[in-house]
Amino acid sequence: MALENKTHQLIEEVKLFIQYSVPENELQSAVALVDRYRNDAFIMRLFREYYSSLPEAREEAVVRIARLIDRQGVHLFVVSTTAFSYLYAVSADKTLLLGEYRKEVNAGVLSFFGFGSHEEFLKVCPSIEDLEEYVESEKELCAVCGVPEGEYHLLGCTVEICPWCEGQLSNCNCRFDQLKVDDIEDEEQLEKFIDLLTAKGRIPYQKTQAPAYPGTSSGLDDSEST
Ligand SMILES: [Zn+2]
Ligand SMILES: [Zn+2]
């Protein structure tokens, strides 16, 4: 329930930004596109980022969204207006404008997605006309870490269920019990726990798993995973 309210709030926010950033004749279609993706928290965050800080201050409505690639819960989306296309990275906690689509991208971003060079990256970037419009997948994404249904959450995700106690993995005490320690102090212990967890069998994301909103603070998130 809390999550629904949160998304609802986000949609209203996006629509408000649209009122201030889009010429009147594009208003209706801009809002319609937002409504079309209303169940997709990632796209809502993308819209909010776009409309709250218009790239190059160009006042244009989004006409199309395409999804390029995903890696470890980070998604590359192409946001198109009638005249321009922009590349955005969206993860569970961040939405970032990377620049105009098919233009030079930060090397760190490229290497995160496994590309050695801009040329290599361009090979997976279809021309704007060939970009396939993003259709909300039947697979729902975890609202917190963004993995699709059936895949493992990113470690530390507050939605992941503990295979030992069936509680919230990021919050329960099983990691200490399993490692027989009072505290996880280093990377080595964390890795050992991941091994134990993997051996036990992690529970992949199912859309019936409700995110722990509000109060998403969690042990793994706040300390051990850094
Ligand atoms: Zn998750
Ligand atoms: Zn547990």
Side-chain angles (χ1 to χ4, degrees):
M1 250 1 201
L3 178 66
E4 265 165 43
N5 288 336
K6 211 176 144 120
T7 311
H8 185 74
Q9 211 181 346
L10 188 56
I11 295 169
E12 293 311 308
E13 232 175 279
V14 169
K15 288 183 177 173
L16 193 65
F17 280 123
I18 288 179
Q19 303 298 325
Y20 292 104
S21 50
V22 165
E24 220 174 303
N25 61 336
E26 291 184 29
L27 268 180
Q28 216 177 350
S29 59
V31 169
L33 193 66
V34 170
D35 279 331
R36 210 184 108 189
Y37 290 113
R38 61 182 305 122
N39 295 320
D40 194 315
F42 276 75
I43 302 295
M44 282 311 130
R45 270 179 254 152
L46 185 56
F47 276 130
R48 182 172 57 184
E49 179 59 26
Y50 174 85
Y51 284 115
S52 65
S53 48
L54 294 164
E56 310 290 327
R58 293 169 180 144
E59 301 191 331
E60 295 184 307
V62 176
V63 296
R64 202 162 58 138
I65 287 178
R67 188 157 77 164
L68 209 55
I69 33 177
D70 307 316
R71 184 180 151 83
Q72 292 178 354
V74 185
H75 313 273
L76 288 187
F77 283 102
V78 183
V79 173
S80 299
T81 66
T82 43
F84 298 94
S85 286
Y86 308 95
L87 188 64
Y88 282 87
V90 187
S91 69
D93 54 4
K94 239 188 214 154
T95 306
L96 199 66
L97 172 64
L98 299 176
E100 270 191 50
Y101 181 55
R102 294 179 65 89
K103 298 237 169 102
E104 205 75 39
V105 176
N106 175 297
V109 174
L110 288 185
S111 77
F112 174 81
F113 282 94
F115 299 102
S117 66
H118 182 63
E119 288 64 41
E120 218 178 282
F121 176 54
L122 274 183
K123 286 182 195 152
V124 302
C125 296
S127 67
I128 291 165
E129 308 80 68
D130 290 339
L131 278 171
E132 251 176 72
E133 183 163 43
Y134 172 63
V135 184
E136 249 188 290
S137 60
E138 334 62 81
K139 280 190 183 178
E140 273 186 52
L141 303 180
C142 171
V144 174
C145 75
V147 300
E149 216 177 344
E151 288 187 16
Y152 296 134
H153 295 275
L154 300 187
L155 202 71
C157 175
T158 49
V159 182
E160 180 158 358
I161 292 170
C162 170
W164 287 284
C165 73
E166 293 178 5
Q168 191 184 6
L169 180 65
S170 60
N171 232 349
C172 68
N173 286 320
C174 294
R175 56 187 180 279
F176 307 121
D177 298 343
Q178 290 300 320
L179 290 169
K180 303 188 179 65
V181 295
D182 295 328
D183 220 339
I184 294 184
E185 279 154 0
D186 53 31
E187 200 71 9
E188 205 179 313
Q189 283 175 316
L190 183 64
E191 266 164 33
K192 198 170 154 200
F193 175 66
I194 296 169
D195 288 345
L196 290 167
L197 180 64
T198 312
K200 172 78 180 167
R202 291 179 70 182
I203 300 175
Y205 172 56
Q206 297 298 330
K207 66 177 169 195
T208 45
Q209 296 165 1
Y213 281 118
T216 49
S217 72
S218 76
L220 274 180
D221 254 359
D222 295 337
S223 49
E224 288 88 351
S225 69
T226 45

